[in-house]
Amino acid sequence: MTMERSPKKYKHLLCSLSLITTGSFAADVTFSPVVGGGLTFTDNVDLVESGSGSSLISSIDVGVAASVIGNDGQLNLAYTMSQLFYSHDSSENTAYQQLNFLTRKGLYNTGFSVDASASIENIAEAIDENASVDVFTGNTIESKNAQVGVSYHSNPLSKVDLRTRTYAQITNNEDDIGNYDGYGAEITYANGRSVKDFFWLIEASYDYKNGKNGDEDTSFTLLREEFGLQTIHGWSPLIRLNYENYEGRAESDSADSFSWGPGLRYYWTKQSYIEVSYNFSDDDNNSDFWAGAINVEPNARTKLFFSYDKRFFGDAYRFELSHRSRKLTNTISYFEEAVSFDRDFFTSGSNVSEVSLSRRLEWSSVVKSRRTSYELSIFHDEQQVLNANADVQDEEGNGIGLDISHRLSRRLSMRLGAEYKYYDFERLSEADQSDHYRDYSLGASYQLNEDISTSFNLSHMNKSSSKLNESYDENRVFINVRMQL
């Protein structure tokens, strides 16, 4: 049996921050230890196409959830450790951790505050090998992240609204791929509410990552400015400026762009407007261009935003839609950003320190009635490397899922879920790879009393891949008992 060693530097960080936060103000504290255990039977523990073997996996779970809320600060902690025991091979026995920690504390009404966050999670080792994040079948690696920051916020009711934050961060992955430490800063400088004749907005950020284990450093610098007159019969003229600079491993994955130009915004309500601008471009990829945006907020529960612009990669779009009613919550978002050291879309053979362009669409719709809830989720992921000579080129993922939950009684609930995911990987050195995942599950949960609950689940997973010997089928039965102390 093997046990995961405790991350000592994270433990000392959390303990010291907890003492600082809880000891400096009167607070409401909740503390909830949890223990549990379960049995999982799988008929394909190695997720292979042929020669599959079964296993009965026992688990012992211990954890704690804590919350501290005070006059000018808060702390939230959730930690779980699970020890797994495999009937087919005891050398596979492993412990897994999960941590979510966040704390913030204001400093004596000065406008300054300190914050810290830490996480431990299991992520896919490489999504071209298996995109299903599942600790029971061992296709994951442990990723540890921590960040500490200092912020300042001025009084927005005065002439100036200033928000700043500086931070330091570190990421360590179990396989040492994509490890880095770094630092950065963010600043937002805008007019305060007492300014009536004109407005301004300056947003700037800098992020530096120091790669480990031979990975190169990267740095991102972003600047956005707006300056204009307050509305005159609904019309507001303005000047806008955009600058971005990405320094990657080499010239092949570095890019920058600069544009500026006049614009005109029309408000038909206090929050809803339409904007158009003509921009002069000072980079080799884009000529001068028109840009525009529309923002619609008819009430506090509904918002629609869409913009078109040009960035270092060409045409750029952004879209947000959120709507909430008594029974329906609907959110859609689409954004594009440059990333480095990103393990969310990591594939075997790719260089995680290279700067790449990430595009992501997320759509979530939830309908709730008195006993039944329906949740529809859709996503589209695309990651494109800036280096045209890199072996791993465009990577794309799409998925749709439907989850139905129904409460049969005060204690008994049932759940039905179905999910389909499709991934496509384009490489220069070998044929493209396409993977399809289909997951079906049926579960139930029963609350024995206020502190003890049990759950049961049946699932079927199918993966079909264009890559030889990468397809598989798996059936699984799971039962779990959980007690809150």
Side-chain angles (χ1 to χ4, degrees):
M1 181 179 71
T2 61
M3 287 291 293
E4 204 72 33
R5 290 182 296 177
S6 299
K8 293 184 179 179
K9 58 184 176 182
Y10 291 99
K11 181 173 68 175
H12 296 326
L13 170 68
L14 299 183
C15 291
S16 60
L17 288 171
S18 300
L19 291 173
I20 292 172
T21 307
T22 58
S24 57
F25 57 89
D28 293 326
V29 180
T30 60
F31 184 77
S32 303
V34 175
V35 296
L39 294 174
T40 300
F41 174 80
T42 171
D43 64 357
N44 191 355
V45 66
D46 296 317
L47 302 183
V48 293
E49 187 170 3
S50 59
S52 59
S54 61
S55 183
L56 180 64
I57 309 168
S58 307
S59 64
I60 298 176
D61 310 314
V62 294
V64 61
S67 175
V68 182
I69 301 176
N71 294 330
D72 194 17
Q74 65 179 36
L75 180 148
N76 292 291
L77 168 69
Y79 176 78
T80 304
M81 173 175 281
S82 300
Q83 175 68 53
L84 305 185
F85 304 92
Y86 293 81
S87 65
H88 76 290
D89 186 355
S90 61
S91 65
E92 297 288 334
N93 297 350
T94 312
Y96 294 93
Q97 303 177 92
Q98 183 172 346
L99 168 71
N100 286 291
F101 172 81
L102 175 66
T103 186
R104 182 193 63 82
K105 179 67 177 75
L107 301 179
Y108 308 108
N109 298 318
T110 61
F112 285 93
S113 63
V114 295
D115 64 84
S117 62
S119 67
I120 302 175
E121 61 178 335
N122 288 277
I123 62 176
E125 186 172 4
I127 63 170
D128 60 330
E129 296 177 355
N130 199 326
S132 178
V133 181
D134 178 32
V135 297
F136 288 96
T137 48
N139 294 295
T140 65
I141 58 107
E142 189 176 75
S143 179
K144 303 173 184 176
N145 306 272
Q147 187 177 106
V148 179
V150 178
S151 303
Y152 173 76
H153 186 196
S154 66
N155 181 8
L157 299 177
S158 63
K159 292 184 177 181
V160 171
D161 185 0
L162 176 64
R163 303 167 187 255
T164 64
R165 182 174 183 265
T166 59
Y167 59 87
Q169 59 186 351
I170 184 172
T171 290
N172 284 316
N173 297 308
E174 185 180 351
D175 56 5
D176 292 330
I177 298 176
N179 292 352
Y180 70 88
D181 56 41
Y183 55 86
E186 303 164 346
I187 182 171
T188 300
Y189 179 59
N191 59 290
R193 297 180 189 175
S194 64
V195 178
K196 303 298 182 184
D197 298 327
F198 50 90
F199 69 89
W200 69 86
L201 174 65
I202 300 175
E203 295 177 321
S205 65
Y206 176 78
D207 183 80
Y208 171 77
K209 292 183 173 70
N210 175 34
K212 304 298 184 180
N213 305 310
D215 289 332
E216 301 292 335
D217 304 348
T218 64
S219 64
F220 295 175
T221 304
L222 304 177
L223 174 64
R224 174 177 174 263
E225 295 184 13
E226 289 182 357
F227 179 83
L229 300 177
Q230 296 280 15
T231 57
I232 305 172
H233 302 293
W235 296 94
S236 180
L238 57 92
I239 298 290
R240 66 193 298 267
L241 178 150
N242 285 289
Y243 171 74
E244 53 186 343
N245 183 27
Y246 301 95
E247 296 289 339
R249 304 175 64 252
E251 185 177 353
S252 59
D253 68 329
S254 301
D256 68 314
S257 67
F258 173 79
S259 65
W260 71 277
L264 186 64
R265 185 180 292 174
Y266 176 71
Y267 288 85
W268 63 87
T269 68
K270 188 175 182 180
Q271 301 294 335
S272 300
Y273 64 86
I274 186 169
E275 176 187 312
V276 64
S277 63
Y278 187 79
N279 300 266
F280 301 96
S281 177
D282 187 24
D283 68 61
D284 298 331
N285 297 323
N286 297 316
S287 58
D288 299 344
F289 62 94
W290 290 90
I294 182 171
N295 187 78
V296 181
E297 296 186 50
N299 52 60
R301 300 184 306 274
T302 303
K303 178 180 180 179
L304 169 67
F305 178 83
F306 172 78
S307 68
Y308 165 77
D309 211 332
K310 283 196 175 182
R311 298 175 58 189
F312 71 91
F313 52 85
D315 295 338
Y317 303 90
R318 179 185 166 193
F319 179 78
E320 295 178 40
L321 171 65
S322 61
H323 173 71
R324 176 174 50 85
S325 64
R326 189 172 62 88
K327 291 186 177 182
L328 172 66
T329 301
N330 193 40
T331 57
I332 306 174
S333 64
Y334 173 79
F335 57 90
E336 303 167 325
E337 63 177 344
V339 297
S340 64
F341 294 93
D342 181 18
R343 288 296 299 258
D344 290 340
F345 218 85
F346 176 73
T347 57
S348 55
S350 64
N351 193 323
V352 72
S353 64
E354 282 191 321
V355 180
S356 59
L357 176 63
S358 175
R359 298 183 173 95
R360 182 164 182 85
L361 168 70
E362 296 178 326
W363 181 347
S364 174
S365 296
V366 179
V367 179
K368 291 186 177 181
S369 62
R370 190 170 64 90
R371 287 179 172 268
T372 308
S373 64
Y374 306 85
E375 181 174 359
L376 173 68
S377 58
I378 299 173
F379 78 88
H380 168 78
D381 265 325
E382 183 179 350
Q383 195 144 308
Q384 177 184 355
V385 297
L386 301 185
N387 182 3
N389 297 320
D391 182 56
V392 179
Q393 292 290 306
D394 290 353
E395 304 168 354
E396 184 177 326
N398 301 277
I400 182 171
L402 177 63
D403 194 277
I404 303 173
S405 298
H406 181 69
R407 184 166 54 87
L408 296 171
S409 68
R410 291 177 56 189
R411 296 188 176 186
L412 178 62
S413 298
M414 295 196 67
R415 173 190 167 274
L416 178 65
E419 184 179 31
Y420 169 77
K421 295 187 293 186
Y422 166 73
Y423 292 91
D424 184 72
F425 308 101
E426 180 182 335
R427 295 180 173 86
L428 296 180
S429 62
E430 57 184 287
D432 295 350
Q433 178 181 338
S434 298
D435 295 338
H436 301 261
Y437 294 85
R438 302 167 183 86
D439 187 10
Y440 311 97
S441 61
L442 173 65
S445 61
Y446 186 76
Q447 193 75 33
L448 296 173
N449 55 42
E450 185 178 354
D451 300 321
I452 302 176
S453 63
T454 182
S455 57
F456 174 81
N457 192 73
L458 296 170
S459 68
H460 172 75
M461 168 69 80
N462 166 264
K463 176 188 176 183
S464 59
S465 176
S466 62
K467 190 175 182 179
L468 187 65
N469 297 325
E470 289 291 327
S471 302
Y472 65 81
D473 282 283
E474 185 208 16
N475 297 295
R476 185 178 297 183
V477 181
F478 168 82
I479 187 169
N480 176 271
V481 177
R482 175 187 174 95
M483 177 185 298
Q484 182 171 305
L485 303 179

